[in-house]
Amino acid sequence: MNSTADLDIMTARELTRIVLAKEKLFILDVRNESDFSDWKIEGESIDIINIPYFNLLDGVDEALEQIPEGTQLLVVCAKEGSSKFVAEQIAEAGRTNVHYLEGGMKAWSEHLEPVKIGELHHGGALYQFVRIGKGCLSYMVVSSGEAAVIDTLRMTDVFEQFAKEHGAQIKHTLDTHLHADHISGGRTLAVRTGATYWLPPKDADEVTFDYEKLEEGHDISVGTTTIRIQPIYSPGHTIGSTSFIIDDQYLLTGDILFIESIGRPDLAGKAEDWVEDLRNTLYNRYQVLSPDLIVLPAHFGKVTELGDDGRVMAKLADLYHNNPGLNIKQEDEFRRVITENLPPQPNAYQEIRQTNMGKITPSVEEQRDMEMGPNRCAVHDK
Amino acid sequence: MLPEIRANVTLDCKGLACPMPIVRTKKAIDQLKAGHVIEVQATDKGSLADMQGWAKNTGHHYLGTVEEGNLLKHYIRKSKLSETKEEKQHPYTICHEELATKMTGEGKITLIDVREPAEYAFNRIKGAISIPLGELEDRIKELNPDDEIFVICRTGSRSDLACQLLTEKGFKKVKNVETGMTGWTGPTEQDNSK
């Protein structure tokens, strides 16, 4: 190994910063073509090409020809090994500013970036956790030494650590619905911290564990100054889907309403039945809420939905103007658009649902593999 | 019960992470006689898709994989030299002089530049249309399969791939510009610098 070769490690955190700052980066993804076409790193200032590492075993000339000189280069693979193997050769060929992604796409899929959404009326704040590689969003309400986590992701240590740094004890974990694209960390986090785990009862028919029922009219308090979490029954993505109004300012919509699209009604196998519920929630139930509420969804589908510092948020009134899913006048047209624009289902979504019901308990490694790929919870995403 | 699969050689890649299973397989297959079968034992789950992709790209015959618990046994048959994919070359090319003559001539010509946008921005032949190689398949509708089309890149190798793709998609009069932009002495243009 030529030790003078200019090769550096880039972490998922550093890559996140580059994506959010819209810094220029050229990525060579060396996974096989099918994995690449299924799911890749995206960013507005990112140029990306795919050449599988197994096409570069005899040399990297094919890659060198396509990589512009002088641009920061990141080589990426599934776990790390192959990207390092290729990046070393590129650096040895004399290229500079060459990096490989530490932990590969697995690490990218698991990285969570906490961003502050805003202050709460009686002290405390609401934070969003952006799982940038997969497009999942979690939330933490922190108030007077207590915390509640909504749509907790599998990487529960991130939430524990964050709460600790903010001097808060996690009292509640809530899931807006039974997730099909990722494994919920809500129950694990509740067990680890002694918190109460809340689920919508209509999504929990088959669960194998104890939980508290999320029901309209039963508000949940966080902190001594009482930050109110008000559940709003909002079926459509699943039959139990429940939204939350937090501190009369924020509307957490789960997988019902996103910034540029709307939720899909078919992941529990009931597209035909639930498309009506979905319409009713979007066009009636949300209509009567304050238009000034800030919508905070459980996913984003495209990097263009990431706002300042990576925050994903928008005023409900603005979404009624701009979101195509909220602007389909006729009911039959809505039904047609929804059922005809369903993207492929998320990777292993049946197994993920089973896991979230407690019916199967895969190993951490298996859970990682099940979650690989994009979230695909919205209607309009490809 | 699966029938016992006979391999001429067995290669142990258990416990090895990507890229090593493929690196070892490649080395082993280089030593193998054409027509012989290698059994590659691996525990890296990712080796399955990669083994299939690698075999497809090299022309070796991927026979299948048997799973035994965490162990994956991949079977690959080494192809004969005549079967392996050579660096396929698009047979129709055009040299710089000919292209220059065509460009000054009467008829309308279509010149596609398949380099990356940044390369195109700094130096291109006037009138060349930018379609990076990676976008060609998606943007193929922009082109007419009956037109005479010239394809250029930096050295002629990406454009060779582009010519192959176009031919595969039914384009009839596609020519690769030999040596690409390298050595082009005719007129060029670039984006106005800011």
Side-chain angles (χ1 to χ4, degrees), chain B residues 36-57:
Chain B
H36 279 192
V37 172
I38 184 169
E39 172 185 315
V40 183
Q41 302 186 344
T43 46
D44 182 358
K45 288 253 184 291
S47 66
L48 176 58
D50 289 355
M51 203 64 78
Q52 292 167 339
W54 172 75
K56 186 174 158 230
N57 290 355

Side-chain angles (χ1 to χ4, degrees), chain A residues 199-345:
Chain A
L199 262 181
K202 288 192 177 174
D203 275 3
D205 273 357
E206 299 175 51
V207 305
T208 60
F209 45 80
D210 291 333
Y211 68 97
E212 286 296 318
K213 292 177 180 169
L214 283 169
E215 282 165 334
E216 271 192 16
H218 287 91
D219 295 355
I220 297 165
S221 299
V222 186
T224 46
T225 48
T226 315
I227 301 305
R228 205 156 59 101
I229 300 180
Q230 182 190 346
I232 307 280
Y233 180 51
S234 49
H237 177 64
T238 61
I239 187 67
S241 285
T242 300
S243 306
F244 303 119
I245 295 177
I246 297 179
D247 199 30
D248 297 321
Q249 297 188 65
Y250 303 104
L251 175 64
L252 272 63
T253 53
D255 285 7
I256 291 292
L257 175 60
F258 304 119
I259 302 301
E260 292 182 5
S261 58
I262 56 175
R264 61 190 292 173
D266 65 315
L267 290 181
K270 305 258 175 76
E272 285 297 311
D273 296 355
W274 292 351
V275 69
E276 231 163 274
D277 286 327
L278 181 64
R279 182 166 178 96
N280 190 32
T281 293
L282 293 174
Y283 287 76
N284 300 318
R285 283 169 186 268
Y286 281 174
Q287 272 285 7
V288 300
L289 302 175
S290 161
D292 292 329
L293 286 170
I294 302 292
V295 170
L296 297 166
H299 288 296
F300 64 92
K302 308 185 195 87
V303 283
T304 51
E305 292 175 59
L306 293 167
D308 294 347
D309 307 327
R311 294 186 293 182
V312 181
M313 60 196 285
K315 238 176 155 180
L316 184 57
D318 293 341
L319 294 189
Y320 272 111
H321 268 286
N322 304 328
N323 188 319
L326 292 178
N327 287 285
I328 305 169
K329 295 218 163 53
Q330 301 300 322
E331 215 170 313
D332 49 350
E333 168 74 358
F334 183 81
R335 179 175 287 273
R336 193 185 60 75
V337 168
I338 300 305
T339 44
E340 285 178 9
N341 287 296
L342 293 173
Q345 274 119 355

Side-chain angles (χ1 to χ4, degrees), chain A residues 19 22-24 42-47 303-306:
Chain A
V19 171
K22 300 184 171 59
E23 260 174 46
K24 205 150 176 49
E42 291 172 50
E44 286 177 55
S45 60
I46 284 177
D47 282 319
V303 283
T304 51
E305 292 175 59
L306 293 167

Side-chain angles (χ1 to χ4, degrees), chain B residues 32 48 50 93 106 150-151 172-173:
Chain B
L32 210 61
L48 176 58
D50 289 355
T93 57
E106 297 273 320
F150 303 99
V151 189
K172 299 187 187 68
K173 291 180 278 183

Side-chain angles (χ1 to χ4, degrees), chain A residues 366, chain B residues 14 42-45 66-73:
Chain A
E366 285 166 334
Chain B
K14 293 195 286 285
T43 46
D44 182 358
K45 288 253 184 291
V66 175
E67 268 191 80
E68 288 175 10
N70 288 327
L71 181 66
L72 298 169
K73 292 178 170 179

